[in-house]
Amino acid sequence: MASPVDPLAMPGAGTPPSTFEEATYRKVSWRLLPLLLLCYLVAYLDRVNVGFAKLQMATDLHLSDAVYGLGAGVFFIGYFLFEVPSNLILHRVGARLWIARIMVSWGVISALTMFVTTPTMFYAMRFLLGLAEAGFFPGIILYLTYWYPAHRRGRMTTWFMTAVALSGVVGGPVSGYILKTCDGLNGWHGWQWLFVLEGLPSIACGVLVWFALVDRIAHARWLTDDEKRLLEHNIDVEEAGKEEMPLAHVLSSPRVWLMSLIYFSFVMGLYGVSFWLPTLIKATGVTDAFAIGLLSAIPFAVAVVAMIVVARSADKRRERRWHVALPGFAGALGLVLSVTWAHDTWLAMLSLTIATAGILTSLPLFWSLPTAFLAGTGAAAGIAMVNSIGNLAGFLSPYAVGWLKQATSSNATGMVLLAAFMLLGALLALSVPARLVNK
């Protein structure tokens, strides 16, 4: 029987894809993305639920803002140390085994954080959590390059990263509810219940990944031979136009270092908001934990819509730089306005919504920049390097905001610092040559 489409006679650039091709990518997306999105949702929930735990934990354990900020940030030291090795292992052994291992180990460590009693124990558990989770996010970014060409990957990465925003939509109210209703249950504090109840889903998802994820196109039994040929041809064509850099060249490449600096700047904004949003809302005069949780869901809900709309525009126009930079500018503006309107709950919520939507929209589209020119082992190492260096901002950002708040008795200086980094990241994104990334 004749194939519905000849993969070796694919249309050229600018030619509309066939109905068969569109149907094939829809089939792949419905099979992969719901699982990946769920995994990242619980990953991000475990990473930032410490922001809600702080509402009770800081008082119970006598943690200062500086101690909390350091503990929240030390996660990224462990994350940084194991990021590149983890991605190289994933490239060698496959995503199914390695992602399952990552998820089960971090779920266990997150749940065990409930037994923390001292600042030193807090630091240790956060460090181990980062070590366990290292490789998950860059591993998924690498995994998507096995399935989607660049002009489709921006939207797919965005759908995957909506989990960050959805974790805020779901996690805020759920975390606030757990803190309020479980406090004192079985003699445990609400923050202890928070860690254990939000760690268990990660373990369950790790088991699900083992049974449901496939490593490569060729291993997908749910694809026909024609569909596999089409997908593999599209990837082969794109890979042929990329630069396969040796590992040493990746680590010294000015392009990769530029990408790392851009990502570092955006991550400064991301974790400044993620770890401190409940505290910022509380500072406007809201005291009820559940109310704080409900209000914190608003910026993330708006961010989901913004992420999808802007990603669709970027893929449709095959333009990357401005679609990364403009949300970055919006994030900076929102952070500055949050300082100006800090004592009015609803104006502060408006500014924090602008900031959150801008920050979260810039991040997934950023990943269309380095994946446009890296291939093979170079992609595995390059993506991991960019993510690991960028995520050092996850250490610096909450610690800097906490230190500045303690030193000045105000959130204002910390938010202005984060806005400056968002502005820097947006300007650097515009400095990337369009020919390199607009594919």
Side-chain angles (χ1 to χ4, degrees), residues 5-55:
V5 64
D6 183 358
L8 301 180
M10 291 294 297
T15 304
S18 67
T19 302
F20 175 69
E21 181 177 358
E22 290 295 336
T24 301
Y25 278 108
R26 277 197 303 272
K27 183 177 181 180
V28 170
S29 296
W30 277 108
R31 184 73 183 220
L32 298 182
L33 285 175
L35 176 60
L36 298 180
L37 191 151
L38 175 64
C39 290
Y40 196 36
L41 190 153
V42 298
Y44 203 79
L45 199 61
D46 279 347
R47 185 183 300 186
V48 302
N49 60 10
V50 69
F52 274 92
K54 175 186 179 289
L55 297 175

Side-chain angles (χ1 to χ4, degrees), residues 130-167:
L131 206 64
E133 193 185 318
F136 173 78
F137 178 81
I140 298 300
I141 297 298
L142 177 65
Y143 182 69
L144 291 175
T145 69
Y146 299 159
W147 293 84
Y148 297 97
H151 70 277
R152 293 180 181 273
R153 203 158 51 239
R155 196 182 309 176
M156 295 305 106
T157 304
T158 295
W159 275 108
F160 166 62
M161 289 190 69
T162 57
V164 176
L166 289 172
S167 71

Side-chain angles (χ1 to χ4, degrees), residues 90-411:
L90 182 146
H91 189 59
R92 179 179 294 272
V93 306
R96 174 173 165 262
L97 169 63
W98 200 241
I99 296 298
R101 192 284 304 165
I102 288 173
M103 297 197 70
V104 171
S105 60
W106 98 53
V108 171
I109 292 170
S110 181
L112 290 176
T113 305
M114 69 174 291
F115 296 112
V116 163
T117 58
T118 67
T120 301
M121 291 178 67
F122 180 48
Y123 298 152
M125 295 306 292
R126 292 293 296 175
F127 176 81
L128 290 174
L129 184 65
L131 206 64
E133 193 185 318
F136 173 78
F137 178 81
I140 298 300
I141 297 298
L142 177 65
Y143 182 69
L144 291 175
T145 69
Y146 299 159
W147 293 84
Y148 297 97
H151 70 277
R152 293 180 181 273
R153 203 158 51 239
R155 196 182 309 176
M156 295 305 106
T157 304
T158 295
W159 275 108
F160 166 62
M161 289 190 69
T162 57
V164 176
L166 289 172
S167 71
V169 175
V170 175
V174 170
S175 297
Y177 180 80
I178 292 172
L179 285 177
K180 184 174 182 178
T181 61
C182 294
D183 193 30
L185 186 63
N186 198 43
W188 294 346
H189 297 288
W191 63 267
Q192 292 178 298
W193 281 108
L194 181 64
F195 282 122
V196 70
L197 291 178
E198 293 187 354
L200 294 177
S202 297
I203 300 172
C205 284
V207 175
L208 181 61
V209 163
W210 173 257
F211 288 103
L213 202 66
V214 291
D215 289 328
R216 297 277 187 160
I217 294 168
H219 303 156
R221 296 180 180 178
W222 38 271
L223 289 172
T224 67
D225 290 341
D226 291 324
E227 290 167 339
K228 290 179 182 179
R229 279 195 292 270
L230 170 72
L231 296 171
E232 288 174 337
H233 171 78
N234 287 349
I235 296 300
D236 289 343
V237 168
E238 179 170 278
E239 292 294 302
K242 292 182 179 179
E243 181 182 0
E244 173 68 80
M245 289 193 288
L247 181 59
H249 290 182
V250 170
L251 300 180
S252 61
S253 167
R255 288 178 181 174
V256 175
W257 278 98
L258 174 61
M259 295 296 154
S260 300
L261 182 55
I262 296 171
Y263 194 56
F264 180 94
S265 300
F266 289 152
V267 173
M268 282 292 292
L270 172 66
Y271 286 113
V273 169
S274 296
F275 285 126
W276 288 96
L277 184 60
T279 301
L280 293 171
I281 295 173
K282 185 177 181 180
T284 68
V286 182
T287 56
D288 182 78
F290 185 53
I292 292 172
L294 290 175
L295 287 173
S296 72
I298 296 173
F300 291 105
V302 173
V304 172
V305 177
M307 291 168 75
I308 294 170
V309 169
V310 176
R312 185 180 297 274
S313 171
D315 279 357
K316 181 179 179 180
R317 291 170 174 78
R318 298 201 179 189
E319 196 289 322
R320 307 296 169 192
R321 301 181 311 151
W322 282 101
H323 283 83
V324 172
L326 289 177
F329 291 139
L333 175 62
L335 288 168
V336 171
L337 290 176
S338 74
V339 172
T340 305
W341 297 332
H343 301 295
D344 185 308
T345 299
W346 293 110
L347 287 178
M349 288 303 305
L350 175 61
S351 62
L352 289 169
T353 298
I354 294 171
T356 304
I359 293 166
L360 290 180
T361 299
S362 65
L363 282 164
L365 290 173
F366 160 80
W367 284 106
S368 63
L369 304 183
T371 57
F373 63 86
L374 291 169
T377 303
I383 291 169
M385 176 179 163
V386 170
N387 194 60
S388 61
I389 292 175
N391 271 288
L392 285 177
F395 168 75
L396 177 61
S397 180
Y399 180 64
V401 172
W403 184 85
L404 287 169
K405 181 185 177 186
Q406 188 165 307
T408 64
S409 300
S410 170
N411 293 312

